[in-house]
Amino acid sequence: VPNPVQLPERNFRALPPPTPVVSVVVNGWDPRKNSPAALLAFREFQRQHPEARLWAMGTAFEPGKEAAAFCRENDIPNVDLLGPIPHAEVLARIARSSLVLHTSLEESFGMVLAEAMSYGVPVVAGKASGAVPWVVGAGGLLVDVTSVGEIAAALHRLLTEPGLYDRLSEVAVRNVESRFSIQKIADDYLTLYKLGERKKEKGEKALAE
């Protein structure tokens, strides 16, 4: 049973900002999170979109620490290192983003993916990163997150290919509503509970006989 997502108001519809904004949310500067690839891909993306900004949220992006040093050493401008901020602010920024980038090499679910898609914000994420392809489905672009070039190309494609952004945005919302809403997850748990009760009753009956 997956994690539940609090859905935005039904009449809410995210619109991409006039200036491209890529958001990343990562906790921990850990090799498995692959954050250097996200930063380098953003640098490549900037070559075609020099006005773009990266909103980097989570403990991996605390000002003055590893990410700041990496950006300085690799000449990566327009990165806003926001660090750990309240969850409500994370969601607000995701909703105002053009897209969400998720470069983890492995993930058991990836809550930020489902949260982004609930706002109609498409994601770029790993095609072989554990549960990520299952969560994203057709609500984003799945790439080889070990390839900086492939990540950057997906970011560019999302913002330049006619109709692609709107199509993925619509699919993303439907994906979350049908699979990860609180009501759907509650129903899944009740189904499992009832199944367990039936198995228990059958077991007790077999022992009695």
Side-chain angles (χ1 to χ4, degrees), residues 49 141 153-168:
H49 304 272
L141 296 181
L155 298 177
H156 176 68
R157 183 185 168 204
L158 256 177
L159 296 184
T160 58
E161 188 171 313
L164 177 63
Y165 189 99
D166 289 341
R167 185 167 70 252
L168 292 184

Side-chain angles (χ1 to χ4, degrees), residues 63-189:
K65 294 194 175 181
E66 294 97 333
F70 188 87
C71 289
R72 185 169 59 253
E73 292 163 6
N74 291 276
D75 191 24
I76 308 174
N78 291 5
V79 177
D80 298 319
L81 297 172
L82 302 170
I85 57 178
H87 185 239
E89 185 178 345
V90 172
L91 294 181
R93 285 184 175 273
I94 285 175
R96 303 200 315 270
S97 302
S98 306
L99 52 92
V100 164
L101 176 58
H102 190 277
T103 56
S104 287
L105 300 175
E106 59 182 75
E107 201 72 65
S108 60
F109 184 73
M111 193 66 180
V112 67
L113 298 169
E115 289 173 333
M117 292 191 297
S118 76
Y119 287 101
V121 177
V123 300
V124 173
K127 63 183 180 182
S129 300
V132 167
W134 178 81
V135 173
V136 173
L141 296 181
L142 297 170
V143 300
D144 176 3
V145 290
T146 66
S147 169
V148 169
E150 192 169 328
I151 298 168
L155 298 177
H156 176 68
R157 183 185 168 204
L158 256 177
L159 296 184
T160 58
E161 188 171 313
L164 177 63
Y165 189 99
D166 289 341
R167 185 167 70 252
L168 292 184
S169 179
E170 293 288 346
V171 172
V173 171
R174 292 199 303 270
N175 180 17
V176 176
E177 287 180 343
S178 64
R179 300 171 66 209
F180 306 129
S181 71
I182 291 175
Q183 184 61 58
K184 175 65 167 61
I185 301 309
D187 290 343
D188 288 347
Y189 272 114

